[in-house]
Amino acid sequence: MIERMSFPFHPFVLPFLIGMSFVLIYCLYGIVKILVQLTRDERRRFLLSLIKPSTAWKNIKDIFLNCLLHVKLWKRNRMLGFMHSSIAFGWFMIIVLGHVEVMLFLPDRVHLLYYPIFFNFFVAETESTIGGAVLFFLMDFFLLVILTGIVLAMVKRVRSRIFGMRRTTRASFLDTVGLYSLWAIFPLRLLSESFTAHISGGSFLTVPMNWIFRQFLGNDLYYLPTWWAYSIALGIFMAVLPFTRYMHIPAEMMLIPMRNAGLRIMHPRKGFARVQVLSCPGCGVCIDACPMSARKENLKDCTVYLNRQIRRGNEPRIEEISDKCLLCGKCTEVCQVGVDGPALRLAQRSMRKYGINQHYNIIDPEGYIGALGSAKVLYFAGCMTHLTPGIKKSVLSVLDKAGVRYSVMDPDGGLCCGRPMMMAGRWEQTRELIRLNTSIIKASGCDTLLLSCPICYRIFAQKYRLDGIRVVHHSVFFNELSRQGRLAVKRDPELRLAYHDPCELGRGCGIYDEPREAVSAAGVLVEGEKNREESICCGGSLGSITLSYEKRRDITLKSLMNMKAGSPDAIITACPLCSSTFGHYSDIPVKDIAELLDSKS
Amino acid sequence: MIYQGKQKIWSDYQKEIPDNHWFYVRSCIRQSFFPASEHYFLKICRDLLDRDIYESAHHTTCGGIAYHCDTIPQETAMTIVARQFALMTEAGYENLVTSCITSFGNYTEILETWREFPELEARVREHLWKSCRREFRKPVYLAHASDLVYKLRDEIAARARFSLVDKETGEPLKIVEHIGCHYSKMFPHKGVGGAEYPCVLSGMAEAWGGKVIDYPERRHCCGFGFRQYLVKANRGYSMSNTYKKFESMEPYHPDVIITNCPGCPFFLDRWQYVISEQEGKTYGPDGHGIPVLTYEELAGLVLGFDPWDLGLQVHQVGPEPLLDKMGIPYDPSAKYNGLDRKKLMTPGLPAVLKCC
Amino acid sequence: MDFGFNLSPSSAVELDKVDTSLFRELCRIEPGARTCIGCGSCSATCTASEHSGMSVRKLLLSLQRGKMRDVEKMLTCCMLCGKCTMVCPRGINTRRIILTVCRLYENVEGRI
Amino acid sequence: MENKDQILVIGGGVAGMEAARQLKSLGFKPILVEKGPALGGHVASWNRLFPDMTPVRKVLDPLTSSLEGVEVLLDTTVESVSRSQREYTVVLTRGRVIKCPAIIIATGFKLFEARKKEEYGYGIYDRVITNKDLENWFNTGEDGRVPDRPSAVGFVHCVGSRDIKAGNQQCSKVCCITAIKQAIEVKERFPQAEVYCFYMDLRLFGKKYEDFYINAQRDCGIHFIRGRVSEVAELIDGRVQVKAEDTLSGRPVKVKLDLLVLMSGIVCNPANNHLASELSVPLDEDGFLRSRDNIFSVTESDRPGVFFAGTCTGPKTIPETLSEARGAALGVYNYLKGKK
């Protein structure tokens, strides 16, 4: 191997150099800015996590699996996974191999940024070494891998359904520029390397192409422009990257360690929120996943558009998107980057200024405490269960049948768990309600707090500090009673029951198996077409502030359709709100798990 | 405002008022509020128009005030009224004319109640017999004294020396008529012109040359309301009603208010003073109030009686601007003279309300 | 001069004088606010009604009658639980109304 | 002329017209008697009809044209009726005598005379009109009482309906929806005007009526105030001031209006009294003619061969009236078929 140039520079590398430097400086600045925006505590936690071996290892593993191999995408759709990982991993490998080449053959040129990229321009092969052949082969191989990915990407632009996507985002102008420059990079590299293959060497792809080109192209004058073009394509891509969806490439590498460090979104726009927004690749997987997409007018209200509007600073649209969302969490579940759409929206909602701020100090906890018994199980029915007295009655009946002694915390209503206020982004009010309820619960002397509403359950389980009091959802509790034999459930082998995962219980709290087990004890469990993590919101969610009743109808119908995939005799759910929302439109019975178990025991 | 529309309604509510031979019952409170009014009613009817009107020294209150203050039951009021009827029967009259609107309403209500519940009438007859050994016949015609003056309005107009016209401009005076609530609100067909657009006073005003103005709160009570005034804590409420009426009539710049009820002229008159003290507000021109007269006083003025003989000096709001407009001569120095033509004393003047 | 009594203010609401700008703004944002038929379901089911007399029906009416203080008072205990939204026969998005009113009060002078 | 095919239809409103039309197509010879100078009754003085804003012409034109060949006697009333074994002999004004085996009474209703509600000042205040006046204004654009640019317009529901003191206990059935229709129309013509509807109850029972109501509330921003207007007074500038109680907030309300529309209700037609005594058919306490029963035989009287159609038996909507007219015609057919 010898250097072709006496001086290791040629002006054509300038576009790349400029673009690359810009991106590096931009990202560096961005990282510093975000670190500054974090609170002191967060920053400390984040930096410590980077050097802590366990999280550091997890960071590397996650980045490798997610950013390069796109493991989550593979699980979603193999074509989609292959397309993304071929480009990302292939490109990564080409860069790595380029550096290996430089380090192997010209270690003193390692400091030149452009050398690994344009290696074949600067270095000519004079003798065939086994190392060179293997490297050249690998280079051509990964280039081929990338090109396959690019071809797939082009197909996806016209036929997204092949990739399991009904709808994709519409690219902005800069996104298009980025996209086309990205597409151009690799064919141009192929061309450049092919044209110079007879000088610099090549492998199975570049050598035959070189031979073909040389058949009708007489001299070597043409190869310099292609290297220019290759560099320019790279330069453009780098230069526009910060302003396009491709910003997700560097941002995701920040997101993963920050998430692993346990950071939460504290500010609607700054710090971790900023990283989340920038990490959105704009792929649009969330559009199909979003239950609101049942109505065409809502197609632009899913997380990908929220991120886009936040980047553009379009406040009216940010507010509209934030307030419309049902907060079902499905977009986060399907997002391969893991952008937390609901949390991002809650943060936006928390920005609002109100002229009337609720205070609950006039509510006297003593009135509730005085009415409590001494039972160890304390049942909190919650607002929604009070609206579905059938569920409340069944819960109490099951408890009686199982011989569980209990007292009811809110026999006549009047108390809210705080989750609705939290979903409106009103932390101060939420904290007040938590304080109020906590004082009552602690005074009760109970050891178990039983909830029949997932909305309540989620906040009690995740936000309350109850010092050892077990917080349990009735589906889990009743399943235990059934397994322990305290509740004798008669199974009807003819009865087909579809279990609907309430958003707050499933995606919200990760409870999928216990309710299914309980349902199976009473009948034959059938699944909806989408289930568990991917179940579809019933449409009744308190998460949405602006969706009106009539506009939720299509969402409910779509969710119902999903539940009926297995031709069930009844739909079973574990949430009073789901139950009554479905109840308005369903033509088959909709029951709460408590009602089911009560009727079968 | 479509005047023909009103005329159509008036024609629906006409009332038969006999021309002559009346048994007159006085009002309890008018004799102290505006003592000349009843005197001049009798004087005009008897002396000027030559009518037979009889009154008995034995008649008492009708019980209306006590009844409306919830201090006596209706049956008691009925027995009192039955006694008046007995006096009338004993005097050989069958037409009853009352000076007081509340009495008129009370009598009307009682007669209507007896018509619906004859057993009640029988019981009252029994009560009356037991208590004072009297018997009675119900009056054939019941009228309020203003009904009678309405009936005689043209005869009075024919004898009028002055008319309700601004001497300077020749324009008719703008007159607010205020009808006592108990006149026709309970039984619209018992009042001349009904309850919505009564024409008992407006008929007089128009016959004597004035122009009646129709202001939004014309139906509203003067604010007396019996209990509302008599309990001191409620007096603010009583005055607020009057205030509401004045606020409503203010844009029309009325020259005079005429009334046919004992309480109304008193409250419409006196509250103008209280409002002026509390709110600094007066409703007449240049800090004056709006004079409030009874229909008898107005008839007396039109017929040319001396304003001080008619007792206009006992009004809080000075009548002088009205007298000036009508061109009625008066002697300012004689205003506070007694019947013996000697000066009684001069009252202190209010701070805000101008009273000449 | 003190007479021991005073004029009492009229309790009548003059519809053409009441400032309903906040209500109109609310209706611009959530037109459903106009469709209340005063059935009272929201008040009957309200979790906060026993604490602060909260009622979406009264809230909407009070805004139209200029009773701004009443609105403020009843809203102080709302927990946004959404029962009113669930029971409303006209499908009015009451939670949005509540949040919107709370926000619009930012511009109301002299609030508590 | 064969007397047995001749059927007398009394009243030339939509009920009578439809009944005559149906009788004609059933093979009878209807004779339509109308006291006024033209057919169409009250409907003819209207402009558009709820709930689809149908122009009146669209209802009356087909009815009129289908009456071709039917003998129509205008400016004619019934003087006396006598009944022999087989037929009725009806003496009409202008000396005409008709013998017929059956009669359909379609004498309709009378609009409550708004003047009787003295406190509303109809006929006295310059800016108070009735629903009928407003429809006339929609048709002709001529009414001095309707101002050019009103800023506030009020509607008073139940004027003379559900009012024992006005002599009518019954609900007129159509005024609520008519008020809403007219309120929407007024709002369309005067978008700047605030429109207030004062109601006791809103009785919107028919198909699409509730949609109309929601439309009026949400899209037109019409204010519905539950409370009956207690009194109306004229202000110095000629506008009227209306007082009512807003019963939902328990407070008295006042509003100054440029135009007040009184929703005069449907009351019984006094012409029924004469007809009822001539035919010996009884009247109900409300003054309307009494049907055999109020469920199964609404269009039948107690007298053989005498049938009712439309609002002569009580307040009804136009589609109900038309259905009854058809029912009455069919009743005549079945009655005479049975006799043959």
Side-chain angles (χ1 to χ4, degrees):
Chain A
M1 299 260 178
I2 56 151
E3 278 194 89
R4 288 178 54 224
M5 308 283 155
S6 53
F7 186 69
F9 177 77
H10 188 280
F12 86 85
V13 303
L14 279 177
F16 163 75
L17 260 188
I18 295 167
M20 191 69 204
S21 321
F22 172 68
V23 152
L24 286 178
I25 294 166
Y26 184 92
C27 289
L28 211 63
Y29 170 73
I31 290 170
V32 172
K33 191 172 159 192
I34 282 161
L35 286 177
V36 169
Q37 285 170 349
L38 293 180
T39 61
R40 177 188 294 262
D41 178 53
E42 281 182 316
R43 193 159 48 239
R44 213 176 57 96
R45 191 136 47 104
F46 174 59
L47 294 175
L48 276 178
S49 82
L50 292 180
I51 49 170
K52 195 176 157 201
S54 62
T55 41
W57 167 242
K58 192 171 185 316
N59 289 343
I60 294 167
K61 194 183 90 183
D62 285 355
I63 290 175
F64 189 76
L65 289 178
N66 286 333
C67 302
L68 296 178
L69 297 184
H70 290 87
V71 176
K72 278 183 85 177
L73 263 187
W74 278 90
K75 285 183 193 158
R76 169 147 300 278
N77 182 290
R78 268 178 287 176
M79 293 280 273
L80 209 58
F82 177 73
M83 180 196 115
H84 282 87
S85 56
S86 63
I87 299 174
F89 186 65
W91 199 3
F92 172 73
M93 284 313 290
I94 282 181
I95 295 166
V96 170
L97 289 170
H99 283 81
V100 170
E101 281 178 329
V102 178
M103 278 191 280
L104 268 180
F105 303 115
L106 300 153
D108 53 331
R109 296 282 184 239
V110 166
H111 65 280
L112 293 173
L113 259 175
Y114 53 88
Y115 242 64
I117 312 300
F118 306 115
F119 187 78
N120 282 15
F121 180 85
F122 290 104
V123 181
E125 190 195 35
T126 50
E127 50 184 337
S128 217
T129 60
I130 190 78
V134 169
L135 282 172
F136 282 154
F137 169 78
L138 286 175
M139 279 299 215
D140 270 19
F141 172 74
F142 283 111
L143 189 58
L144 181 66
V145 168
I146 298 173
L147 287 169
T148 328
I150 299 285
V151 171
L152 284 176
M154 290 173 175
V155 174
K156 177 175 165 273
R157 291 287 289 175
V158 263
R159 294 219 179 280
S160 63
R161 273 174 191 270
I162 302 173
F163 298 82
M165 292 174 72
R166 284 182 58 213
R167 305 185 188 88
T168 56
T169 45
R170 266 195 55 200
S172 65
F173 172 71
L174 278 179
D175 277 348
T176 320
V177 172
L179 178 74
Y180 289 135
S181 57
L182 178 64
W183 283 0
I185 289 170
F186 302 99
L188 284 172
R189 183 184 169 108
L190 177 66
L191 279 180
S192 315
E193 292 200 338
S194 300
F195 289 156
T196 48
H198 63 292
I199 305 166
S200 311
S203 189
F204 66 93
L205 209 59
T206 41
V207 171
M209 277 183 76
N210 181 277
W211 184 80
I212 295 167
F213 288 133
R214 285 168 66 82
Q215 297 307 306
F216 54 90
L217 297 169
N219 55 40
D220 291 346
L221 289 177
Y222 50 82
Y223 75 74
L224 193 58
T226 56
W227 282 99
W228 265 103
Y230 173 46
S231 170
I232 289 171
L234 276 168
I236 292 176
F237 180 69
M238 302 288 182
V240 298
L241 182 133
F243 315 107
T244 65
R245 52 164 76 161
Y246 301 102
M247 188 59 202
H248 80 89
I249 300 166
E252 196 182 349
M253 287 190 272
M254 185 89 175
L255 176 75
I256 289 171
M258 285 180 115
R259 188 165 51 212
N260 287 343
L263 298 194
R264 289 212 314 268
I265 296 175
M266 304 298 277
H267 187 282
R269 303 289 161 81
K270 292 178 180 170
F272 193 36
R274 182 80 192 149
V275 178
Q276 293 252 359
V277 168
L278 293 177
S279 296
C280 172
C283 65
V285 168
C286 51
I287 306 177
D288 284 339
C290 181
M292 293 198 302
S293 298
R295 281 175 81 91
K296 208 174 164 203
E297 67 196 39
N298 298 334
L299 287 180
K300 292 209 161 179
D301 295 320
C302 49
T303 305
V304 59
Y305 286 102
L306 174 68
N307 294 327
R308 185 185 279 190
Q309 300 299 354
I310 291 179
R311 288 184 71 175
R312 288 182 186 168
N314 183 348
E315 293 299 333
R317 281 285 291 139
I318 295 171
E319 181 170 331
E320 188 187 350
I321 297 176
S322 305
D323 285 2
K324 204 186 254 190
C325 175
L326 296 155
L327 302 183
C328 74
K330 191 161 170 190
C331 50
T332 309
E333 203 60 55
V334 298
C335 180
Q336 74 273 22
V337 178
V339 175
D340 194 343
L344 212 48
R345 286 178 171 89
L346 283 190
Q348 308 309 315
R349 293 179 187 182
S350 71
M351 285 168 75
R352 313 277 152 74
K353 293 268 179 294
Y354 294 90
I356 299 176
N357 289 292
Q358 280 70 21
H359 293 289
Y360 307 108
N361 39 20
I362 61 163
I363 302 176
D364 179 18
E366 293 307 321
Y368 292 89
I369 293 166
L372 293 175
S374 58
K376 287 292 165 196
V377 174
L378 183 64
Y379 172 49
F380 179 79
C383 304
M384 288 302 143
T385 311
H386 277 294
L387 261 191
T388 48
I391 297 178
K392 186 180 170 192
K393 200 175 140 220
S394 298
V395 169
L396 300 183
S397 164
V398 168
L399 290 174
D400 287 337
K401 283 177 188 169
V404 177
R405 282 193 60 236
Y406 61 87
S407 45
V408 183
M409 181 171 153
D410 56 340
D412 300 312
L415 287 171
C416 172
C417 61
R419 178 73 182 150
M421 268 297 177
M422 189 182 162
M423 291 205 275
R426 307 192 70 177
W427 312 133
E428 192 42 55
Q429 280 70 25
T430 310
R431 274 192 286 274
E432 270 196 40
L433 282 171
I434 289 177
R435 252 198 314 275
L436 174 73
N437 288 326
T438 304
S439 70
I440 299 171
I441 295 165
K442 284 198 175 160
S444 76
C446 68
D447 61 12
T448 304
L449 178 67
L450 177 67
L451 292 319
S452 56
C453 170
I455 304 167
C456 308
Y457 173 68
R458 184 170 182 186
I459 191 168
F460 276 115
Q462 296 177 350
K463 298 288 172 192
Y464 280 63
R465 298 280 166 270
L466 292 173
D467 302 333
I469 295 172
R470 183 191 179 204
V471 177
V472 62
H473 187 251
H474 75 310
S475 61
V476 176
F477 193 65
F478 291 174
N479 183 47
E480 277 170 19
L481 294 177
S482 154
R483 288 183 60 172
Q484 291 163 358
R486 290 172 71 185
L487 182 71
V489 181
K490 283 192 292 290
R491 189 167 188 273
D492 181 353
E494 299 292 307
L495 191 64
R496 294 168 66 81
L497 302 167
Y499 174 69
H500 167 78
D501 290 284
C503 304
E504 296 278 75
L505 192 65
R507 284 184 291 266
C509 300
I511 293 176
Y512 298 105
D513 296 325
E514 293 90 338
R516 282 182 168 71
E517 207 176 308
V519 170
S520 302
V524 184
L525 176 75
V526 293
E527 291 288 357
E529 190 185 339
K530 303 266 184 193
N531 52 61
R532 293 179 177 260
E533 288 85 352
E534 299 221 352
S535 74
I536 303 173
C537 172
C538 69
S541 169
L542 291 179
S544 173
I545 293 168
T546 58
L547 268 185
S548 64
Y549 176 74
E550 57 268 35
K551 293 193 173 171
R552 292 170 184 250
R553 183 172 174 266
D554 294 338
I555 300 169
T556 309
L557 292 178
K558 184 178 164 188
S559 181
L560 266 177
M561 184 98 89
N562 177 62
M563 288 319 296
K564 285 164 76 179
S567 334
D569 298 313
I571 296 170
I572 305 301
T573 181
C575 170
L577 184 50
C578 296
S579 174
S580 70
T581 308
F582 279 149
H584 290 154
Y585 300 110
S586 177
D587 52 358
I588 56 171
V590 180
K591 280 188 192 169
D592 187 84
I593 207 159
E595 293 172 307
L596 174 75
L597 295 178
D598 187 30
S599 67
K600 296 289 171 198
S601 60
Chain B
M1 186 75 65
I2 305 157
Y3 190 71
Q4 291 80 353
K6 273 192 185 176
Q7 284 176 316
K8 177 105 178 62
I9 288 196
W10 290 338
S11 65
D12 289 349
Y13 292 97
Q14 281 307 319
K15 172 175 175 180
E16 206 171 334
I17 308 164
D19 199 43
N20 211 342
H21 308 298
W22 290 93
F23 181 80
Y24 184 56
V25 287
R26 292 203 183 217
S27 151
C28 307
I29 57 178
R30 288 183 97 202
Q31 295 173 67
S32 49
F33 285 177
F34 306 106
S37 292
E38 290 180 342
H39 176 75
Y40 273 87
F41 169 74
L42 294 173
K43 194 176 167 77
I44 291 167
C45 291
R46 287 176 179 158
D47 301 352
L48 221 61
L49 306 175
D50 200 23
R51 296 300 199 277
D52 165 31
I53 298 190
Y54 178 85
E55 64 169 332
S56 161
H58 297 289
H59 90 73
T60 63
T61 174
C62 70
I65 292 178
Y67 172 52
H68 287 288
C69 291
D70 288 346
T71 52
I72 59 168
Q74 199 191 17
E75 229 167 284
T76 308
M78 282 177 175
T79 313
I80 298 171
V81 165
R83 185 177 165 278
Q84 319 284 49
F85 291 161
L87 293 176
M88 177 190 78
T89 310
E90 287 160 17
Y93 285 83
E94 51 188 17
N95 305 332
L96 186 79
V97 61
T98 71
S99 164
C100 170
I101 284 289
T102 294
S103 295
F104 176 71
N106 196 28
Y107 289 144
T108 310
E109 187 182 346
I110 287 169
L111 289 173
E112 290 295 308
T113 311
W114 286 350
R115 195 165 60 76
E116 297 272 343
F117 305 98
E119 70 279 6
L120 209 53
E121 183 187 337
R123 199 151 72 228
V124 169
R125 283 183 186 278
E126 206 180 307
H127 291 330
L128 185 68
W129 180 253
K130 276 185 191 159
S131 56
C132 49
R133 296 281 183 269
R134 286 183 196 268
E135 282 176 313
F136 68 92
R137 280 198 300 276
K138 286 185 283 183
V140 180
Y141 291 102
L142 176 67
H144 183 250
S146 60
D147 291 341
L148 204 55
V149 176
Y150 172 79
K151 171 98 178 168
L152 304 172
R153 67 191 187 283
D154 292 328
E155 289 183 47
I156 292 171
R159 289 166 172 78
R161 286 184 51 209
F162 302 98
S163 65
L164 300 174
V165 170
D166 189 325
K167 260 275 198 281
E168 295 282 309
T169 62
E171 290 285 313
L173 294 182
K174 294 188 286 287
I175 293 168
V176 159
E177 35 113 31
H178 176 82
I179 310 289
C181 293
H182 294 156
Y183 176 66
S184 60
K185 280 180 187 161
M186 289 184 286
F187 301 97
H189 283 277
K190 302 290 175 192
V192 179
E196 194 60 33
Y197 307 98
C199 72
V200 57
L201 293 181
S202 61
M204 291 177 210
E206 284 174 5
W208 303 337
K211 180 173 170 253
V212 173
I213 59 168
D214 200 339
Y215 63 109
E217 296 294 356
R218 65 166 191 278
R219 308 166 173 99
H220 213 72
C221 170
C222 68
F224 177 20
F226 296 87
R227 273 167 301 184
Q228 310 307 343
Y229 175 78
L230 298 175
V231 178
K232 190 176 175 187
N234 293 346
R235 271 180 208 169
Y237 177 69
S238 173
M239 184 172 66
S240 302
N241 278 279
T242 317
Y243 176 72
K244 194 176 192 175
K245 283 186 80 76
F246 279 112
E247 287 293 310
S248 175
M249 71 176 79
E250 188 188 13
Y252 297 83
H253 306 296
D255 295 307
V256 61
I257 300 170
I258 55 168
T259 63
N260 67 346
C261 176
C264 307
F266 188 76
F267 286 94
L268 291 172
D269 185 53
R270 301 302 199 268
W271 284 145
Q272 286 196 65
Y273 157 68
V274 182
I275 291 169
S276 75
E277 292 290 330
Q278 289 194 348
E279 305 288 312
K281 181 146 192 192
T282 53
Y283 294 94
D286 314 322
H288 288 278
I290 305 170
V292 187
L293 304 185
T294 67
Y295 58 95
E296 295 105 323
E297 286 167 346
L298 193 74
L301 283 181
V302 164
L303 288 168
F305 291 101
D306 183 80
W308 309 143
D309 288 346
L310 286 167
L312 298 195
Q313 63 275 54
V314 303
H315 291 254
Q316 178 70 59
V317 177
E320 287 87 344
L322 174 72
L323 301 177
D324 293 341
K325 268 185 199 160
M326 289 174 68
I328 297 174
Y330 60 92
D331 176 7
S333 64
K335 187 171 180 182
Y336 300 112
N337 286 353
L339 284 174
D340 55 0
R341 303 292 163 197
K342 282 185 190 145
K343 196 165 198 100
L344 295 170
M345 58 203 323
T346 309
L349 287 177
V352 183
L353 186 71
K354 248 192 183 163
C355 299
C356 298
Chain C
M1 193 186 293
D2 181 23
F3 292 88
F5 53 89
N6 285 95
L7 284 177
S8 41
S10 169
S11 61
V13 177
E14 296 195 42
L15 294 177
D16 34 13
K17 288 191 185 153
V18 169
D19 176 14
T20 56
S21 51
L22 197 144
F23 181 72
R24 286 201 303 273
E25 178 62 9
L26 171 68
C27 293
R28 194 187 58 74
I29 294 166
E30 182 56 55
R34 288 196 196 277
T35 61
C36 175
I37 47 175
C39 72
S41 307
C42 50
S43 332
T45 195
C46 180
T47 301
S49 67
E50 62 177 278
H51 306 304
S52 67
M54 173 63 191
S55 155
V56 180
R57 173 187 82 76
K58 279 190 213 156
L59 176 137
L60 290 171
L61 199 62
S62 301
L63 284 178
Q64 292 174 74
R65 303 288 178 261
K67 305 287 168 204
M68 305 302 274
R69 292 288 152 274
D70 295 358
V71 171
E72 210 168 347
K73 200 170 148 266
M74 66 176 87
L75 271 173
T76 50
C77 254
C78 171
M79 307 176 210
L80 222 55
C81 71
K83 284 172 87 181
C84 46
T85 310
M86 305 258 308
V87 298
C88 178
R90 274 281 169 97
I92 300 172
N93 191 347
T94 51
R95 292 175 78 238
R96 187 183 195 186
I97 286 172
I98 292 165
L99 280 172
T100 308
V101 170
C102 288
R103 279 181 84 180
L104 292 175
Y105 258 72
E106 265 280 284
N107 306 318
V108 173
E109 273 173 40
R111 55 176 203 271
I112 299 168
Chain D
M1 192 184 276
E2 281 277 348
N3 283 349
K4 71 175 167 48
D5 284 343
Q6 212 163 252
I7 311 292
L8 184 66
V9 180
I10 307 170
V14 285
M17 290 167 86
E18 177 66 13
R21 180 167 88 121
Q22 295 297 335
L23 287 171
K24 186 183 136 196
S25 68
L26 286 168
F28 295 102
K29 290 200 180 75
I31 298 171
L32 188 54
V33 174
E34 163 60 36
K35 70 170 186 300
L39 293 180
H42 290 281
V43 176
S45 59
W46 239 243
N47 178 34
R48 287 194 287 175
L49 304 173
F50 59 80
D52 297 320
M53 294 289 190
T54 316
V56 158
R57 238 180 351 90
K58 281 205 164 179
V59 175
L60 285 185
D61 285 357
L63 276 178
T64 313
S65 60
S66 64
L67 287 180
E68 229 165 272
V70 173
E71 188 178 359
V72 178
L73 304 172
L74 296 175
D75 294 313
T76 308
T77 53
V78 173
E79 277 198 336
S80 65
V81 185
S82 57
R83 184 170 184 245
S84 67
Q85 197 103 48
R86 291 177 51 100
E87 58 185 13
Y88 289 94
T89 307
V90 182
V91 180
L92 300 174
T93 49
R94 305 166 178 215
R96 178 83 183 261
V97 177
I98 288 166
K99 288 176 186 297
C100 55
I103 297 173
I104 293 180
I105 301 180
T107 46
F109 66 95
K110 201 167 81 78
L111 216 52
F112 176 77
E113 234 180 287
R115 196 181 64 81
K116 287 188 182 166
K117 293 296 292 178
E118 289 161 13
E119 60 269 39
Y120 297 158
Y122 179 70
I124 292 178
Y125 302 145
D126 295 328
R127 297 292 180 82
V128 180
I129 65 171
T130 64
N131 42 5
K132 189 174 176 175
D133 297 334
L134 187 65
E135 290 289 337
N136 180 55
W137 179 75
F138 287 149
N139 275 327
T140 63
E142 286 164 17
D143 193 325
R145 293 170 294 186
V146 180
D148 292 335
R149 290 170 152 270
S151 59
V153 180
F155 286 82
V156 185
H157 293 223
C158 298
V159 174
S161 312
R162 303 182 68 200
D163 185 343
I164 293 177
K165 290 187 177 165
N168 301 295
Q169 196 173 309
Q170 80 280 359
C171 165
S172 292
K173 209 173 182 180
V174 293
C175 326
C176 283
I177 179 69
T178 303
I180 289 173
K181 179 195 83 106
Q182 294 186 342
I184 292 174
E185 288 176 298
V186 164
K187 187 79 182 174
E188 278 169 1
R189 279 159 202 252
F190 306 116
Q192 296 309 312
E194 296 291 340
V195 180
Y196 302 90
C197 282
F198 294 91
Y199 67 94
M200 301 203 286
D201 284 311
L202 278 178
R203 299 186 160 186
L204 300 165
F205 52 87
K207 188 180 165 83
K208 282 181 148 188
Y209 292 8
E210 192 72 9
D211 306 51
F212 233 64
Y213 178 29
I214 294 174
N215 176 23
Q217 284 182 307
R218 189 185 48 209
D219 306 329
C220 303
I222 290 163
H223 308 282
F224 287 88
I225 296 164
R226 191 190 177 281
R228 196 155 171 272
V229 168
S230 67
E231 63 179 51
V232 181
E234 194 169 70
L235 298 164
I236 194 161
D237 58 6
R239 290 187 298 158
V240 286
Q241 176 181 271
V242 160
K243 283 190 194 176
E245 185 194 343
D246 173 20
T247 59
L248 294 178
S249 67
R251 284 184 182 278
V253 290
K254 273 199 275 193
V255 63
K256 296 180 174 67
L257 301 170
D258 294 307
L259 182 66
L260 183 69
V261 186
L262 306 179
M263 304 310 297
S264 277
I266 288 179
V267 300
C268 61
N269 188 348
N272 288 345
N273 296 352
H274 175 65
L275 210 53
S277 68
E278 286 296 321
L279 282 163
S280 340
V281 290
L283 291 173
D284 255 332
E285 301 99 58
D286 54 12
F288 288 95
L289 293 165
R290 187 155 81 207
S291 299
R292 177 108 65 88
D293 69 54
N294 289 318
I295 294 172
F296 209 70
S297 323
V298 180
T299 58
E300 289 169 30
S301 74
D302 289 331
R303 305 285 293 170
V306 177
F307 294 84
F308 302 135
T311 50
C312 61
T313 54
K316 281 177 193 90
T317 63
I318 293 174
E320 285 167 346
T321 298
L322 292 173
S323 307
E324 283 196 3
R326 287 162 205 151
L330 201 61
V332 169
Y333 175 80
N334 289 331
Y335 166 70
L336 292 181
K337 196 174 71 176
K339 283 186 87 177
K340 275 177 193 169

